């Protein structure tokens, strides 16, 4: 059609051709100006978007915080998104029971009190079947029959004894939550709740982002944040580098509960020590039955009597450790950066909301004082 139009125009007078060319040029200039205006508008809009990086070692709660932001400051998860977690949750059940069954067999061979880790004969065949399923790449959806098998094995005394050793077996922290909801998870019309989604565990691969405005004054003021979540395992950290450019703040997650656990990808490395190394590395970029002293970094910890006061004491101790490392690892010309530590619980929506309000307020004050 465009060729035909050109041929018809070329048959007119030179005056007509000149007039048509002027119109075409004007139209082209108009399109160019419109594109320039849109680019300028988008550039100005981007200037009001504050870039946040959510960093931390694997299993530190980053992705749970990310999901909380979606629930708190966006519309949450729609029906399709909720349903997409069914396979993840069912996989968590199979993975958990496999870890526990295989762990029980291993402990029965190496522990001095090995008898308490021996699976009852009636459950050994079930254990082998579920362990085989848990080792697959594709998991079947939970059925009523499979739920009966999982529950029977979960309730075996040897499995419960093994579960108490969860910190050395990489048992996911969602284990008990889902094991107590097996019947509901296997219902034909099951749709995960927001609590199910928050407890669901899947390793983050690559980079995911979300844009949001916190509730309150900043929302009326037009403050917008773009939060990036990246995988925390070692093989994912090479993807962090390009994200540091233009970042306004880093939210670094450290799971205090992991002080006595080892890395999933390296069972010789304490998770808190890995967090220490990682936090130190981030700072140098340009742009309690088990004593806390089990972690080398915390060997100078002086415990109090057990109880709530001990928990607060331990938190303040760990907080001070990160503060000291921050000032030790920051160059003299960078110590004026705003550095704050907030205590939160990834699964507690109210606490996460409060934490992000504090982060928002801190960043606004920093900008106002600049």
């Amino acid at each position: 059609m465009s060729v035909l139009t050109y041929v018809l125009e070329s048959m007119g007078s030179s005056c007509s051709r000149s007039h048509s060319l002027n119109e075409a040029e004007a139209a082209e200039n108009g399109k160019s100006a419109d594109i320039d205006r849109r680019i300028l508008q988008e550039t100005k809009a981007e200037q009001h978007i504050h870039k946040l990086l959510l960093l931390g070692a694997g299993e530190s709660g980053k992705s749970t915080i990310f999901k909380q932001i979606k629930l708190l400051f966006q519309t949450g998860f729609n029906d399709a998104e909720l349903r997409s977690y069914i396979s993840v949750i069912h996989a968590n059940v199979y993975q958990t029971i496999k870890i526990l069954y295989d762990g029980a067999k291993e402990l029965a061979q190496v522990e001095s009190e090995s008898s308490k880790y021996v699976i009852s004969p009636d459950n050994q065949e079930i254990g082998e079947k579920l362990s085989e399923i848990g080792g697959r790449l594709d998991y079947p959806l939970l059925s009523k029959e499979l739920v009966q098998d999982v529950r029977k094995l979960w309730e075996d005394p040897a499995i419960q004894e093994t579960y108490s050793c969860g910190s050395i077996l990489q048992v996911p922290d969602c284990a008990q939550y889902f094991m107590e909801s097996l019947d509901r998870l296997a219902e034909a019309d099951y749709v995960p709740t927001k609590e199910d989604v928050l407890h669901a565990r899947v390793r983050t691969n690559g980079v995911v982002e979300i844009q949001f405005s916190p509730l309150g004054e900043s929302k009326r003021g037009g403050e917008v944040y773009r939060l990036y979540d990246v995988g925390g395992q070692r093989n994912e950290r090479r993807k962090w580098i390009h994200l540091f450019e233009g970042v306004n703040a880093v939210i670094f997650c450290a799971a205090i509960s992991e002080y006595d656990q080892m890395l999933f990808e390296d069972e010789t490395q304490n998770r808190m020590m890995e967090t220490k190394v990682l936090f130190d590395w981030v700072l140098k970029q340009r742009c309690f039955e088990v004593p806390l002293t089990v972690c080398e970094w915390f060997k100078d910890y002086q415990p109090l009597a057990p109880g709530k006061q001990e928990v607060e004491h331990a938190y303040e101790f760990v907080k001070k450790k990160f503060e000291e490392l921050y000032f030790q690892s920051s160059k003299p010309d960078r110590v004026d950066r705003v550095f704050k530590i907030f205590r939160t619980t990834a699964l507690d929506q109210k606490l996460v909301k409060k934490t992000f309000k504090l982060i928002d307020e801190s960043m606004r004050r920093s900008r106002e004082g600049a």
Side-chain angles (χ1 to χ4, degrees):
M1 187 67 181
S2 60
V3 174
L4 178 61
T5 301
Y6 173 75
V7 171
L8 289 172
E9 288 176 347
S10 67
M11 292 173 67
S13 65
S14 61
C15 181
S16 176
R17 285 199 301 272
S18 177
H19 180 69
S20 298
L21 287 171
N22 288 338
E23 286 184 343
E25 186 177 343
E28 189 65 32
N29 289 338
K31 288 181 181 178
S32 179
D34 185 51
I35 292 172
D36 289 340
R37 275 195 301 271
R38 288 206 303 270
I39 291 174
L40 182 61
Q41 289 173 352
E42 290 174 2
T43 301
K44 287 183 177 179
E46 284 291 321
Q47 291 175 350
H48 292 286
I49 297 175
H50 307 292
K51 184 177 177 181
L52 307 176
L53 291 187
L54 192 57
L55 302 181
E59 310 296 326
S60 62
K62 296 186 295 81
S63 296
T64 305
I65 294 290
F66 190 86
K67 287 184 280 189
Q68 286 280 28
I69 296 303
K70 185 176 177 66
L71 287 168
L72 286 166
F73 304 125
Q74 287 197 329
T75 56
F77 297 91
N78 60 36
D79 188 69
E81 289 173 320
L82 289 173
R83 290 180 184 276
S84 72
Y85 275 91
I86 294 176
S87 59
V88 173
I89 291 167
H90 288 186
N92 285 168
V93 172
Y94 290 124
Q95 291 160 354
T96 296
I97 207 67
K98 173 180 172 58
I99 290 171
L100 291 172
Y101 178 72
D102 294 350
K105 291 200 299 181
E106 183 179 346
L107 291 172
Q109 294 176 352
V110 301
E111 290 294 314
S112 56
E113 297 181 66
S114 60
S115 60
K116 63 183 181 180
Y117 298 109
V118 176
I119 305 291
S120 65
D122 292 341
N123 292 332
Q124 288 179 2
E125 185 177 345
I126 293 174
E128 290 297 325
K129 180 178 76 172
L130 292 176
S131 178
E132 186 275 326
I133 293 175
R136 298 178 189 173
L137 294 177
D138 295 318
Y139 306 97
L141 292 178
L142 280 171
S143 62
K144 290 183 178 179
E145 293 74 22
L146 283 168
V147 160
Q148 289 177 352
D149 287 342
V150 172
R151 179 183 292 108
K152 190 175 182 183
L153 188 58
W154 167 252
E155 293 175 351
D156 189 293
I159 292 296
Q160 287 299 304
E161 192 67 42
T162 304
Y163 179 61
S164 67
C165 303
S167 63
I168 64 173
L169 293 174
Q170 307 288 349
V171 177
D173 54 10
C174 61
Q176 187 158 356
Y177 176 84
F178 287 134
M179 290 300 174
E180 292 176 350
S181 306
L182 288 172
D183 290 326
R184 181 172 61 84
L185 303 183
E187 291 175 355
D189 58 349
Y190 167 63
V191 177
T193 64
K194 69 177 184 181
E195 287 78 14
D196 293 344
V197 170
L198 289 173
H199 281 85
R201 292 289 172 263
V202 58
R203 290 188 183 86
T204 303
N205 293 313
V207 182
V208 291
E209 64 179 85
I210 191 171
Q211 192 163 299
F212 66 96
S213 294
L215 303 178
E217 293 180 9
S218 59
K219 187 174 184 181
R220 292 194 294 273
E223 300 290 359
V224 179
Y225 296 94
R226 185 175 292 150
L227 179 68
Y228 294 85
D229 178 26
V230 291
Q233 274 75 28
R234 288 175 174 177
N235 63 332
E236 291 288 327
R237 294 174 196 167
R238 65 184 184 276
K239 303 171 185 176
W240 293 11
I241 303 297
H242 71 282
L243 290 172
F244 281 96
E245 184 177 352
V247 69
N248 297 102
V250 171
I251 300 172
F252 190 91
C253 296
I256 299 178
S257 60
E258 294 183 342
Y259 71 94
D260 63 339
Q261 299 179 37
M262 300 298 175
L263 286 184
F264 175 82
E265 61 269 40
D266 180 2
E267 294 188 353
T268 66
Q269 174 72 328
N270 177 279
R271 288 190 183 185
M272 185 57 74
M273 291 305 297
E274 179 79 359
T275 296
K276 174 193 175 185
V277 170
L278 192 56
F279 185 60
D280 185 47
W281 177 82
V282 169
L283 290 175
K284 291 177 179 176
Q285 298 307 304
R286 292 182 179 179
C287 50
F288 274 120
E289 283 184 2
V290 179
L292 203 61
T293 50
V294 72
C295 173
E296 183 184 348
W297 194 22
F298 302 153
K299 62 184 179 182
D300 57 334
Y301 177 69
Q302 298 295 324
L304 300 176
K308 185 176 180 181
Q309 189 179 7
E310 172 69 16
V311 173
E312 298 298 324
H313 177 64
Y315 165 72
E316 291 298 329
F317 174 83
V318 175
K319 177 182 175 182
K320 185 177 179 182
K321 284 287 188 180
F322 277 95
E323 289 172 337
E324 291 174 346
L325 183 58
Y326 170 78
F327 289 108
Q328 289 170 3
S329 300
S330 295
K331 293 180 180 179
D333 61 337
R334 303 301 301 277
V335 293
D336 59 337
R337 292 181 295 187
V338 176
F339 173 69
K340 291 183 179 295
I341 295 177
F342 300 101
R343 181 180 179 181
T344 192
T345 302
L347 288 169
D348 190 321
Q349 194 170 81
K350 290 183 179 179
L351 273 178
V352 172
K353 184 176 182 179
K354 178 181 177 182
T355 302
F356 264 85
K357 281 189 174 182
L358 291 171
I359 291 172
D360 178 41
E361 181 182 343
S362 176
M363 291 187 67
R364 283 191 291 111
R365 287 180 178 175
S366 178
R367 288 191 296 272
E368 290 168 0

